[in-house]
Amino acid sequence: NNHLSRACKDYPFSASGDNNDPPNAADQINPAQSVYFNMSISRGCVPNNAVPFSYRPHRAQHVDPSTGKVSSVIVVPSAMAVSWQDGYECIDTSTIDPIVERATVDPDHPMLVVMAHDGDNSFGGGYSYYMQCVPSFVKEALGKGGEYEPSTIQQYLQEHPVAADDIVHVEDGAWVNKAGDFGSPSFSGWNWPPTNANG
């Protein structure tokens, strides 16, 4: 979700917090957002994310320059900082409560806090995660009197379809901290050091 947030006109960039390149002004075409949430993660960065904007599915589109044909894809953002933390320890709803507290309520487009893992984090995706952490988190969420509704992406999209005109821009970039790449739009973790044909 950081690559949606960084593409907002009013993204509050912080060199020490983002630990990343500043957003390219040409990418900052998403509407300004008045509320941002940040959470420090163990790698030393503090991603800022627009609430509720970057916690809701949208669409991105491509216009074929040869034909003018427009195609779109649904963009389902993952909660970058929450996912990082969830990949290293069991979390409870107190981790997402501050995000929800900052959000405006829209029953037609509720937030979807997706915790995504790449499979090689500390234990996110392993036995302990799925057999202990997830059931505990879901049980706590269900016990909050309807404040949270555990779901799947497919179920959410069936219940809350993304409007055809809900088009956003997603900044290029990677997952946080691939060998020091904190989501750089230039993919510095993969493209560093820069070399030419002579090495």
Side-chain angles (χ1 to χ4, degrees), residues 93-160:
T93 59
S94 68
T95 305
I96 61 173
D97 288 341
I99 301 168
V100 174
E101 290 166 3
R102 289 170 171 77
T104 54
V105 177
D106 180 353
D108 294 330
H109 302 97
M111 290 195 310
L112 178 65
V113 181
V114 176
M115 289 168 268
H117 309 107
D118 57 9
D120 63 357
N121 290 355
S122 178
F123 68 79
Y127 182 85
S128 295
Y129 178 76
Y130 284 111
M131 301 308 289
Q132 297 167 352
C133 301
V134 171
S136 176
F137 184 88
V138 170
K139 181 179 179 182
E140 181 188 5
L142 289 171
K144 289 209 151 188
E147 184 177 352
Y148 296 110
E149 179 183 339
S151 185
T152 64
I153 293 170
Q154 181 178 1
Q155 178 184 348
Y156 177 96
L157 293 174
Q158 288 172 345
E159 295 173 357
H160 309 284

Side-chain angles (χ1 to χ4, degrees), residues 5-103:
S5 298
R6 286 171 49 92
C8 291
K9 292 179 180 180
D10 65 342
Y11 179 74
F13 175 73
S14 161
S16 61
D18 284 46
N19 205 3
N20 196 348
D21 308 323
N24 183 331
D27 278 324
Q28 294 186 297
I29 58 176
N30 289 336
Q33 305 296 310
S34 59
V35 180
Y36 284 83
F37 168 77
N38 63 48
M39 173 192 292
S40 179
I41 66 168
S42 64
R43 294 294 191 195
C45 65
V46 186
N48 273 303
N49 289 297
V51 177
F53 179 77
S54 71
Y55 295 90
R56 287 184 177 144
H58 304 277
R59 290 181 184 271
Q61 73 177 14
H62 170 73
V63 179
D64 186 312
S66 300
T67 65
K69 181 180 178 184
V70 177
S71 57
S72 74
V73 63
I74 295 175
V75 175
V76 180
S78 64
M80 182 160 57
V82 174
S83 295
W84 182 272
Q85 189 159 336
D86 183 55
Y88 283 88
E89 63 185 341
C90 290
I91 64 170
D92 56 32
T93 59
S94 68
T95 305
I96 61 173
D97 288 341
I99 301 168
V100 174
E101 290 166 3
R102 289 170 171 77

